[in-house]
């Protein structure tokens, strides 16, 4: 028993990491995030920097081990890697991302030793979201999965998403957890902390009903096509005609819609291979019926370049090339080392080229929209910088790589945040699910179940106007948070200065 008490933080850390995973979809025990982060804050107050780093790492292993284990399914079940290779890379990725909670803990301990409780809770929240920002944007092109704000889509903190985005909302969640931990320990923040918690959660509840954007036209009828093509069969040459026929037939059943959207790489061939005999005739049909089609397929570029792309067919025909590529899926970072390692492990991966940051918005249904392909909808800044010129958001993806795991549900939760941040409808077409419609307040509308071949039709309203987050962006949000930390520190120092002057 004494040994357990001596090492209780290290022993409990992985369990609380798993608890944080349970706050996300598909489990949706959102308030467990408060408990998990309160535990994290507590051990940062109790341990040395070295022990806190180790405990933070164990916390991260619990979080990412339970939260992104589906990487193994992608590499083994669908990527063709042998169990040893897929397991090794899954453990490697889990261990890499677990380093961020470790770094968060070590930095927190260093900072806590120099400040009082009032500023300590604010500093902890800032360090937590700053580490999420680094992980989500800088390392291997960014990995923003399991950022804590995504777990709060259904809680009052969602009311702050149109103002502060995923990092502003995450800051308030981490701040709330730290205050709860201080109150739990019966420290000096009990009264003030209770007031702050009421203001945060009560304010979020009030903001959830806020309207930041406005309609600019009549509703548009949109049909999403979920082909449910088995990932192991999708790229087989003898299955290509069957796949294209299925999508064409589904589309022809909905010539009464304004827009029909197919999922990521729904056309399993390069555009040059299918343009004359499939795309051009389909485009003529679409124009005859007054329908715009949004279709995804790979596109040849100059030389050996090729892109993961979306093409619109109908009144406005144009291409969008994916900007934010998936590391170790669509391109290989750390070349030539990563290529050599993956060759040794016999894991086949793509090597796409990233599209330009300056691509014009695509149009369908009479309005411009923000296009994101698969992983791109995980990056709020990418969507935000285009949202003011767009009437709605479109995401096409292929989560079929991950089977019946938590990944499709987590991915949909991230898409919900993009709608909430921008105050616009988001429509999402996926190969195997979850396809669906997201309202400007982040709520899910109609949704297609996993592994079902079907179409889904609903109306969306074109929107205009900018939420505070669209105007500020992530950098603006962090400037505000830095200002808050500075003001808090100045306020904390004020009594000491007054005493010295007296």
């Amino acid at each position: 028993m004494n040994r357990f008490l001596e090492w209780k933080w290290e022993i409990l850390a992985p369990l609380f990491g798993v608890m944080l995973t349970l706050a996300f979809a598909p489990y949706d025990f959102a308030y467990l995030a408060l408990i998990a982060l309160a535990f994290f804050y507590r051990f940062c107050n109790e341990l040395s920097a070295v022990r806190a780093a180790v405990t933070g790492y164990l916390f991260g292993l619990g979080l990412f081990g339970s939260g992104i284990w589906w990487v193994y399914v992608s590499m083994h079940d669908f990527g063709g890697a042998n169990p040893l290779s897929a397991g090794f890379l899954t453990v490697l990725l889990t261990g890499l991302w677990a380093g961020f909670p470790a770094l968060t803990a070590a930095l927190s301990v260093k900072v806590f030793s120099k400040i009082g409780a009032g500023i300590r809770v604010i500093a902890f929240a800032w360090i937590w979201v700053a580490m999420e920002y680094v992980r989500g944007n800088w390392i291997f092109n960014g990995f923003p999965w399991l950022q804590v704000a995504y777990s709060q889509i259904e809680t009052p903190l969602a009311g702050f998403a149109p103002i502060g985005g995923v990092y502003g909302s995450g800051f308030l969640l981490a701040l709330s957890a730290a205050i709860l931990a201080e109150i739990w320990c019966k420290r000096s923040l009990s009264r003030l902390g209770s007031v702050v918690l009421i203001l945060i959660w009560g304010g979020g509840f009030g903001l959830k009903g806020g309207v930041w954007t406005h309609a600019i036209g009549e509703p548009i009828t949109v049909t999403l096509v979920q082909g449910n093509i088995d990932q192991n069969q999708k790229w087989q040459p003898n299955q290509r005609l069957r796949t294209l026929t299925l999508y064409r037939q589904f589309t022809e059943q909905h010539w009464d819609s304004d827009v029909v959207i197919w999922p990521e790489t729904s056309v399993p061939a390069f555009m040059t291979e299918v343009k004359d005999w499939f795309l051009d005739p389909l485009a003529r049909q679409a124009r005859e019926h007054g329908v715009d089609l949004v279709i995804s397929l790979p596109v040849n570029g100059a030389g050996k370049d090729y892109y993961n792309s979306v093409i619109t067919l109908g009144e406005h025909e144009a291409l969008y090339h994916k900007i934010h590529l998936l590391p170790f899926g669509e391109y290989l970072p750390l070349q030539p080392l990563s290529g050599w390692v993956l060759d040794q492990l016999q894991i086949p991966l793509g090597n796409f080229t990233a599209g330009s940051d300056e691509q014009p918005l695509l149009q369908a249904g009479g309005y411009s929209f923000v296009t994101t392909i698969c992983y791109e909808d995980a990056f709020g800044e990418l969507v935000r910088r285009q949202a003011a010129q767009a009437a709605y958001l479109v995401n096409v993806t292929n989560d079929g790589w991950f089977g019946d795991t938590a990944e499709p549900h987590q991915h949909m939760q991230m898409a919900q945040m993009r709608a909430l941040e921008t105050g616009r409808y988001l429509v999402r077409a996926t190969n195997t699910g979850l396809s669906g419609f997201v309202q400007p307040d982040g709520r899910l509308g109609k949704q297609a179940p996993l592994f079902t071949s079907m179409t889904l039709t609903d109306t969306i309203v074109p929107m205009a106007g900018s939420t505070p987050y669209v105007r500020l962006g992530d950098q603006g949000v962090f400037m505000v948070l830095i200002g808050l930390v500075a003001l808090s520190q100045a306020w904390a120092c004020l009594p000491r200065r007054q005493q010295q002057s007296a």
Side-chain angles (χ1 to χ4, degrees):
M1 184 64 179
N2 290 337
R3 185 167 294 275
F4 170 79
L5 292 176
E6 181 182 355
W7 298 101
K8 62 180 180 180
W9 300 113
E10 289 89 343
I11 294 170
L12 293 173
L15 300 178
F16 280 90
V18 174
M19 180 182 290
L20 183 52
T21 292
L22 295 177
F24 295 89
Y27 318 105
D28 294 319
F29 297 110
Y31 293 102
L32 289 182
L34 277 171
I35 300 174
L37 290 178
F39 166 86
F40 196 99
Y41 177 84
R42 275 291 308 276
F43 76 69
C44 289
N45 277 280
E46 301 289 338
L47 302 176
S48 67
V50 173
R51 277 192 67 187
V54 171
T55 307
Y57 192 77
L58 293 171
F59 180 95
L61 290 178
L63 170 62
F64 292 104
S66 62
I68 64 167
W69 65 270
W70 34 258
V71 170
Y72 176 88
V73 174
S74 174
M75 290 187 288
H76 174 261
D77 293 12
F78 300 103
N82 63 67
L84 184 62
S85 299
F88 171 75
L89 283 180
T90 301
V91 170
L92 188 65
L93 287 173
T94 299
L96 171 66
W97 302 126
F100 284 89
L103 183 58
T104 300
L107 288 174
S108 296
V109 171
K110 292 292 187 182
V111 171
F112 288 178
S113 64
K114 302 175 183 178
I115 56 179
I119 184 66
R120 187 162 61 226
V121 295
I122 297 175
F124 169 74
W126 191 89
I127 292 170
W128 181 275
V129 297
M131 288 299 99
E132 285 197 332
Y133 180 81
V134 172
R135 172 169 66 86
N137 293 275
W138 291 357
I139 308 300
F140 294 149
N141 213 22
F143 186 74
W145 229 267
L146 300 182
Q147 291 179 332
V148 292
Y150 290 118
S151 68
Q152 303 301 299
I153 288 289
E154 301 295 333
T155 76
L157 290 186
F160 292 101
I163 300 173
V166 72
Y167 298 110
S169 301
F171 174 87
L172 293 174
L173 176 63
L175 177 62
S176 298
I179 292 173
L180 282 175
E182 289 285 347
I183 294 174
W184 179 22
C185 295
K186 298 181 180 178
R187 292 176 178 167
S188 57
L189 285 182
S190 296
R191 182 175 298 177
L192 177 60
S194 298
V195 172
V196 172
L197 285 175
I198 291 171
L199 290 175
I200 290 173
W201 291 80
F205 182 81
L207 287 169
K208 283 196 77 171
V211 178
W212 302 97
T213 53
H214 58 274
I216 55 172
E218 295 299 316
I220 303 169
T221 302
V222 178
T223 293
L224 309 177
V225 181
Q226 182 171 294
N228 192 37
I229 306 299
D230 187 276
Q231 193 62 35
N232 290 320
Q233 299 294 319
K234 182 174 181 178
W235 293 98
Q236 297 296 325
N238 61 355
Q239 294 295 316
R240 178 184 298 175
L241 183 59
R242 172 181 171 272
T243 297
L244 295 177
T245 300
L246 174 69
Y247 277 102
R248 187 184 65 229
Q249 289 175 345
F250 271 140
T251 300
E252 290 172 345
Q253 295 169 14
H254 292 280
W255 288 132
D256 55 342
S257 294
D258 298 305
V259 181
V260 177
I261 303 175
W262 299 7
E264 181 186 13
T265 55
S266 44
V267 176
F270 283 100
M271 186 170 71
T272 52
E273 298 178 279
V274 295
K275 187 178 187 305
D276 293 338
W277 66 271
F278 183 76
L279 292 179
D280 286 348
L282 189 63
R284 285 194 294 271
Q285 281 186 285
R287 286 191 294 270
E288 290 170 1
H289 290 89
V291 179
D292 290 317
L293 306 182
V294 180
I295 294 173
S296 178
L297 75 174
V299 173
N300 294 103
K304 296 182 179 180
D305 291 345
Y306 59 97
Y307 302 93
N308 190 352
S309 305
V310 166
I311 186 172
T312 51
L313 303 176
E315 183 178 354
H316 298 279
E317 297 192 2
L319 274 169
Y320 166 81
H321 301 313
K322 186 176 183 180
I323 299 169
H324 209 119
L325 300 178
L326 175 66
F328 302 107
E330 293 173 317
Y331 85 103
L332 299 178
L334 303 180
Q335 285 279 44
L337 176 62
S338 62
W340 181 84
V341 171
L342 291 170
D343 284 343
Q344 301 306 305
L345 297 175
Q346 297 182 340
I347 296 178
L349 294 172
N351 194 16
F352 285 88
T353 301
S356 167
D357 287 339
E358 304 301 323
Q359 299 176 72
L361 296 182
L362 300 181
Q363 295 183 45
Y367 296 91
S368 299
F369 60 89
V370 174
T371 308
T372 55
I373 300 176
C374 192
Y375 189 59
E376 288 185 308
D377 67 344
F379 298 90
E381 185 66 24
L382 185 151
V383 175
R384 176 211 66 89
R385 66 175 183 246
Q386 306 172 81
Q389 291 77 45
Y392 60 101
L393 315 177
V394 171
N395 175 248
V396 297
T397 192
N398 179 22
D399 285 336
W401 286 98
F402 306 99
D404 190 10
T405 67
E407 193 277 344
H409 304 275
Q410 293 170 353
H411 199 172
M412 176 60 90
Q413 200 169 47
M414 300 170 89
Q416 290 176 256
M417 180 63 78
R418 302 291 86 84
L420 188 54
E421 288 172 340
T422 60
R424 280 159 172 77
Y425 285 85
L426 180 145
V427 292
R428 186 166 184 264
T430 72
N431 178 31
T432 57
L434 300 164
S435 301
F437 294 81
V438 184
Q439 300 178 32
D441 60 3
R443 290 185 300 160
L444 279 171
K446 289 184 178 180
Q447 186 174 205
L450 286 169
F451 310 117
T452 304
S453 181
M454 63 178 293
T455 60
L456 194 68
T457 301
D458 205 352
T459 58
I460 64 171
V461 179
M463 309 293 286
S466 297
T467 63
Y469 172 72
V470 167
R471 291 191 289 268
L472 283 172
D474 290 338
Q475 292 183 352
V477 169
F478 270 98
M479 291 299 294
V480 171
L481 295 181
I482 291 171
L484 177 60
V485 173
L487 285 174
S488 301
Q489 179 64 17
W491 179 266
C493 293
L494 186 60
R496 291 199 297 270
R497 291 175 182 167
Q498 290 176 340
Q499 290 174 4
Q500 291 171 359
S501 62

